[in-house]
Amino acid sequence: MNSKAQLFLFCGKMGAGKSTYSQVIAKQKQTVLLSEDAWLAAHYPHQITKFNDYIHYSNLIKPFVKQHVQQLLSLGLSVVMDFPANTVKQRAWLVSLANDIQCEHTLFYLQVSDEVCLSRIAKRRLAQPKRAHFDTPEVFHQVTQYFEPPKASEQLAVEDVAESSTAI
């Protein structure tokens, strides 16, 4: 395993700018970017119509994602994962991808107010009409009820990202 490889993860509420910031980090680090949205859209293009569908299909791709990411990291390639690390369970799985093969990770924590997130979601709904059924205040509030900020007890390498750094 090349010790220079690193796994980059993102935590923040819906609309916080995780996808946008993951693209910035991938470009800065000149590394591989994997997007859960892209994987799900490619494999299940019309099957995700509600939040429970997302959970179901997200779980189905995890074994393939794990194998792929660990192969890349083992080859010495850093990986930016645009997959939500918004709950303790999600973070534990994502960090295990690195820990299982003794690779370092960094979790970028985007702390953005609900008002800013909702404003961004409204703009995204207009810019990306295919996402309009998910980018609603109702879905935001449904998803946000499960959001868990990272805790020191999780022993994560956390880098806090200021709200102004996540501007879309």
Side-chain angles (χ1 to χ4, degrees):
M1 159 77 219
N2 183 333
S3 62
K4 292 185 180 186
Q6 191 170 359
L7 184 63
F8 298 99
L9 310 169
F10 301 85
C11 176
K13 294 177 182 176
M14 182 179 171
K18 296 180 300 295
S19 293
T20 301
Y21 201 66
S22 68
Q23 293 170 13
V24 169
I25 296 300
K27 187 174 181 178
Q28 282 178 355
K29 305 290 184 183
Q30 297 181 335
T31 193
V32 178
L33 170 65
L34 298 179
S35 164
E36 182 182 48
D37 288 345
W39 277 57
L40 291 173
H43 294 287
Y44 309 105
H46 303 291
Q47 287 130 313
I48 301 176
T49 60
K50 54 189 180 284
F51 186 62
N52 286 340
D53 294 337
Y54 158 74
I55 292 169
H56 173 73
Y57 290 109
S58 175
N59 285 328
L60 286 181
I61 66 170
K62 283 185 176 178
F64 307 105
V65 170
K66 179 178 183 172
Q67 180 183 22
H68 185 61
V69 169
Q70 288 183 330
Q71 285 177 338
L72 293 170
L73 293 169
S74 294
L75 290 170
L77 298 170
S78 292
V79 178
V80 171
M81 292 198 63
D82 182 14
F83 282 60
N86 294 337
T87 67
V88 172
K89 184 178 178 181
Q90 287 173 327
R91 287 190 292 275
W93 181 76
L94 287 162
V95 170
S96 77
L97 301 179
N99 288 347
D100 288 353
I101 59 169
Q102 292 80 47
C103 178
E104 292 183 10
H105 74 274
T106 298
L107 174 73
F108 293 97
Y109 178 29
L110 289 66
Q111 298 183 53
V112 178
S113 70
D114 287 0
E115 294 76 22
V116 169
C117 290
L118 286 165
S119 172
R120 290 177 179 176
I121 290 166
K123 290 177 187 173
R124 189 167 64 195
R125 189 170 49 246
L126 295 174
Q128 300 174 34
K130 288 182 180 181
R131 295 181 55 139
H133 66 285
F134 275 120
D135 288 340
T136 66
E138 295 78 22
V139 173
F140 171 82
H141 292 295
Q142 179 184 10
V143 172
T144 298
Q145 70 180 329
Y146 300 106
F147 182 80
E148 299 172 294
K151 301 175 192 115
S153 61
E154 293 178 80
Q155 300 181 343
L156 303 167
V158 177
E159 186 173 316
D160 291 321
V161 179
E163 187 170 306
S164 61
S165 299
T166 66
I168 296 175

